[in-house]
Amino acid sequence: MEFDHTAHPNPTSAARLEQILANPGFGTSFADHTAVIDWTAERGWANPRVEPYGPIALDPAASVLHYAQEIFEGMKAYRHDDGGIYTFRPLENARRLNRSAQRMALPELPEELFVASLEELVQTDRDWVPNGDGEALYLRPFMFASEAFLGVRAAREVSYRVIASPAGNYFGGELKPVRIWVTRDYIRAAPGGTGAAKTGGNYAGSLAAQQQATAQGCDQVLFLDPTRENAVEELGGMNVFLVTADNRLITPELTGTILEGITRASVIQLAKDRGMAVEERRVTLDEWGAGIADGSITEAFACGTAAVITPIGELVDGDRSIASAGTGEVTTSIREELLGIQTGTVEDRHGWMHQLA
Ligand code: PLP
Ligand code: COI
């Protein structure tokens, strides 16, 4: 399928773009274009195009507004020294989008169309890719039920889009260890639910807990599974790893209630490449606290596309505080290796990078 292109009639000025790229923040400014593909049950995917970024006209009865039939992905495009623009493991995002689509009764998008949509958008808006340390163009593919129909069934009209947003550190400012609020009031997902799908409702459901976290001076929420002895699940938007004094990595296993992070899978691979033992298993909050107390757990970090790898400095659990080691050596070294691969300064021995433009 060929993409049609319409140039933005009123593109961002060079001076304004320079200002945005000087201090990108996260998710606040958007590139001039959006890639769009329409789907109907009758004719499937059609009409791929790149059009000016702007408001979407949506019928007030569009079922996404009522029943939240929506999925999304998050990835980044990096400018390399060879002048090319690359992204990280896009087929993994394509596959996860399609697993989310199955769960949310949305149509699957052919992987090559997914990748082409990223290429077309980034080729059009390549000037929007920042090149500062730790900066990238965040790509947000998403799919939603646009059919105007209030009955509860899978929509027969769906829209897929990609928007792009220059991104620096997700937590703002320089990289520093984050404080995490342990929520005892809310869970994120349950067996048979939608926890493994990247769907908006999971994030809407996390916001009340996130508000509590913010009120406690914390950056993110940690969700537990109280039905499994307070097994650690994940943060609102990131997976979690613990580092042990004897050089093992521990991360919660994939049980269907957490998101299968692509950063998570990549960290596991990089750790194994270094000869570290990686344990994907149930890890409880008690084990975490006891491990910090007796020194057997030396570091903890959060990982995801937006956060890359961010050290966890402190867990706040009601009145109790569990301090981690701050920015430990293993966290720093894995972060540098992963970022190096993504930004083109470390050899890409697994063939993870894909040139978009
Ligand atoms: N967990 C949640 C809930 C997320 O939203 C994300 C972000 O995408 C992740 C984990 C990390 O996934 P990835 O590494 O694929 O970005
Ligand atoms: C990501 O890392 O891409 C995420 O989706 C996390 C958050 C911004 C939702």
Side-chain angles (χ1 to χ4, degrees), residues 26 72 74 138 140 170 198 203 237 304-306:
F26 186 87
F72 66 98
Y138 184 78
R140 171 52 65 86
Y170 182 74
K198 206 159 164 62
Y203 299 81
T305 298

Side-chain angles (χ1 to χ4, degrees), residues 65-135:
L65 300 177
H66 303 271
Y67 310 127
Q69 196 191 4
E70 186 269 357
I71 58 177
F72 66 98
E73 274 301 322
M75 41 211 307
K76 280 177 173 169
Y78 308 85
R79 192 184 291 284
H80 287 193
D81 284 344
D82 67 3
I85 296 167
Y86 294 78
T87 194
F88 185 66
R89 308 188 75 176
L91 280 179
E92 296 303 320
N93 293 86
R95 290 174 188 140
R96 187 171 65 188
L97 181 83
N98 285 335
R99 291 196 298 276
S100 299
Q102 283 171 8
R103 179 64 184 86
M104 302 310 290
L106 283 162
E108 290 183 43
L109 180 68
E111 290 168 7
E112 59 281 5
L113 256 188
F114 176 85
V115 174
S117 71
L118 308 173
E119 291 171 349
E120 297 279 342
L121 181 60
V122 170
Q123 284 164 19
T124 308
D125 282 337
R126 61 179 302 142
D127 292 348
W128 283 80
V129 184
N131 59 5
D133 212 23
E135 295 175 356

